[in-house]
Amino acid sequence: MDDKLFLMIPGPTPMPERALLAMAKAPIGHRSGEFAKIMAEVSENLKWLHQTASEVLILSSSGTGALEAAIINACSPGDRVLVGANGKFGERWVEVAQAFGLDVEVIAAPYGQPLSTDAFKAALEADTDKTIKAVVVTHSETSTGVINDLETIVGYIRAHGEALSIVDAVTSLGATSVPVDAWGLDFVGSGSQKAYMIPPGLGFLAVSERGWAACERSTMPRYYFDLRKYRKALKKNNTPFTTPVNLVFALQTTLQMLRAEGLDALFARHARLRNATRAAVRALGLALFNPDDHSASPAITAVVPPEGIACDKLRATLKKHYDIVIAGGQGEMEGQIVRIGHLGFVGERDVLTAIAALEGALHTLGYDGFTPGSGVAAASAVLFG
Ligand SMILES: *Cc1c(COP(=O)(O)O)cnc(C)c1O
């Protein structure tokens, strides 16, 4: 059916009508007083979402740009950095750090499993000469549906004393608590097309005072992503370069919506949707790619389809018959898993519908290892139980 498509991929995520309408306006000047007023409100609300008193910068980039900006402002060429990698995004930060000439040490874990906090502890405690300058951690690893134990890892980084934390919070921020100040996080990057409920195009970066000191020390060549320019402009509720003003109109609206919902309710909603999705997947006799509930991402659930059911067929059937788009596997996970996003403007109705549609699609493709309705019943038991 036309105009019926519902995105249950981990970004872009669905958009509220109010935010769509907010965008459907003629652009205003990005140096105008009118725009500065909007930026002032947006900045306050970004601080609220990040649970920080520091500035949250707005970059015209996707989430990768925000993380690249963090890496090149925190570090200088040749710096030793630890990078956690248990999926495609962790691996991306390894590549970015290497591209900028950093001395990268990878702390890896198998796909579908969380990073070992002990591995970070051991590497940081062994570094008595304090040569490790930064540690990059992906909080919610979207490619596998795993949330890493950031709080514990950051505790070890703080205990080290020298190393800065650089956090990919792209699918954790706004889905679960990322208390930037309370945990002492230095660089926290995210992107507009995830929990922010607006289209792709903006990157966000929270920077601590320690982080700003590192920006000053860094000898890395930078221009567009020299964060000092953004901080200076933000003091005047502005950005150094032309901002996609219509995206900021939408952001103003969605941040108001998030604020009205409240942090606790926001995080509880994502946890509930995740738990319902996982219960349904189990009830249908399918395997969760990350079977461990403690490290299950609040944003996305990765599912291993039953024997004989191809991932691309399952996704195509869901799209064709039910107008629901779910994601496939990335990189080496292609054809191995499908991923159901429950991030952003997603509610109980959407998850129940997706599970019912999943049952229908599995049935259409010839899998009958479940009693019809059992997935919906399991999800309902979580949501209403
Ligand atoms: C979406 C995502 C990103 C950013 O990807 P972009 O396409 O650059 O916005 C980074 N990390 C994670 C974990 C993500 O899910």
Side-chain angles (χ1 to χ4, degrees):
M1 208 183 280
D2 284 349
D3 286 336
K4 194 77 184 157
L5 210 57
F6 193 74
L7 293 181
M8 294 192 82
I9 57 177
T13 59
M15 276 185 67
E17 191 170 56
R18 233 188 282 174
L20 285 165
L21 290 172
M23 287 181 69
K25 279 194 292 211
I28 59 174
H30 63 291
R31 301 281 180 232
S32 64
E34 201 184 344
F35 188 67
K37 254 197 222 137
I38 296 173
M39 280 290 284
E41 179 191 323
V42 162
S43 285
E44 271 316 299
N45 286 341
L46 285 173
K47 288 182 188 178
W48 166 81
L49 186 64
H50 286 74
Q51 305 178 60
T52 182
S54 304
E55 295 99 337
V56 180
L57 309 177
I58 302 179
L59 313 176
S60 306
S61 75
S62 74
T64 303
L67 266 293
E68 178 168 313
I71 291 168
I72 67 176
N73 281 271
C75 302
S76 297
D79 275 358
R80 184 177 170 212
V81 296
L82 300 182
V83 184
N86 58 335
K88 277 318 273 181
F89 289 100
E91 288 168 7
R92 182 177 295 177
W93 313 135
V94 171
E95 289 172 9
V96 171
Q98 286 170 341
F100 286 96
L102 303 183
D103 175 11
V104 180
E105 218 163 288
V106 182
I107 295 191
Y111 278 30
Q113 290 178 28
L115 293 167
S116 156
T117 55
D118 285 345
F120 285 89
K121 182 173 192 262
L124 287 159
E125 283 182 355
D127 181 35
T128 48
D129 296 340
K130 309 294 176 194
T131 57
I132 299 171
K133 299 298 178 200
V135 181
V136 186
V137 180
T138 300
H139 191 191
S140 164
E141 179 45 86
T142 314
S143 65
T144 62
V146 168
I147 190 152
N148 289 307
D149 184 356
L150 178 63
E151 185 179 10
T152 301
I153 294 170
V154 163
Y156 300 136
I157 300 174
R158 289 277 71 83
H160 177 275
E162 276 293 315
L164 297 165
S165 54
I166 299 177
V167 179
D168 170 350
V170 182
T171 55
S172 61
L173 200 109
T176 192
S177 188
V178 185
V180 171
D181 287 358
W183 288 359
L185 307 175
D186 296 310
F187 293 86
V188 178
S190 56
S192 55
Q193 79 276 28
K194 310 282 172 120
Y196 293 92
M197 312 189 287
I198 67 171
L202 297 179
F204 303 96
L205 194 56
V207 185
S208 71
E209 280 311 315
R210 271 188 306 269
W212 284 117
C215 292
E216 292 297 338
R217 281 196 306 273
S218 166
T219 59
M220 189 72 77
R222 355 166 219 166
Y223 187 89
Y224 190 73
F225 281 140
D226 185 338
L227 296 178
R228 293 168 297 186
K229 294 183 170 78
Y230 291 82
R231 184 187 212 189
K232 197 168 152 216
L234 195 59
K235 289 198 193 305
K236 291 179 281 174
N237 293 312
N238 220 313
T239 52
F241 311 110
T242 312
T243 304
V245 289
N246 291 57
L247 289 181
V248 178
F249 296 159
L251 180 64
Q252 181 187 23
T253 303
T254 56
L255 287 172
Q256 288 167 357
M257 290 173 67
L258 293 176
R259 207 150 179 171
E261 183 173 8
L263 288 180
D264 290 346
L266 177 65
F267 305 148
R269 169 163 61 87
H270 282 89
R272 212 163 48 240
L273 298 182
R274 171 199 57 202
N275 295 345
T277 305
R278 290 174 71 82
V281 167
R282 286 190 171 113
L284 294 174
L286 313 185
L288 291 161
F289 185 59
N290 170 17
D292 169 36
D293 290 332
H294 295 293
S295 61
S297 167
I300 182 133
T301 298
V303 179
V304 185
E307 276 292 312
I309 306 285
C311 292
D312 54 350
K313 285 236 170 67
L314 182 56
R315 291 177 57 224
T317 307
L318 278 169
K319 185 171 179 199
K320 183 156 184 271
H321 292 288
Y322 302 97
D323 301 294
I324 293 174
V325 185
I326 65 168
Q330 291 168 279
E332 67 189 66
M333 296 315 298
E334 198 182 331
Q336 312 285 313
I337 54 173
V338 294
R339 295 174 301 143
I340 303 170
H342 32 73
L343 171 65
F345 191 54
V346 178
E348 300 185 350
R349 178 191 70 184
D350 307 313
V351 164
L352 288 171
T353 307
I355 297 304
L358 180 63
E359 290 191 11
L362 287 168
H363 178 76
T364 301
L365 294 172
Y367 171 71
D368 47 18
F370 64 99
T371 310
S374 57
V376 174
S380 304
V382 171
L383 297 177
F384 319 132

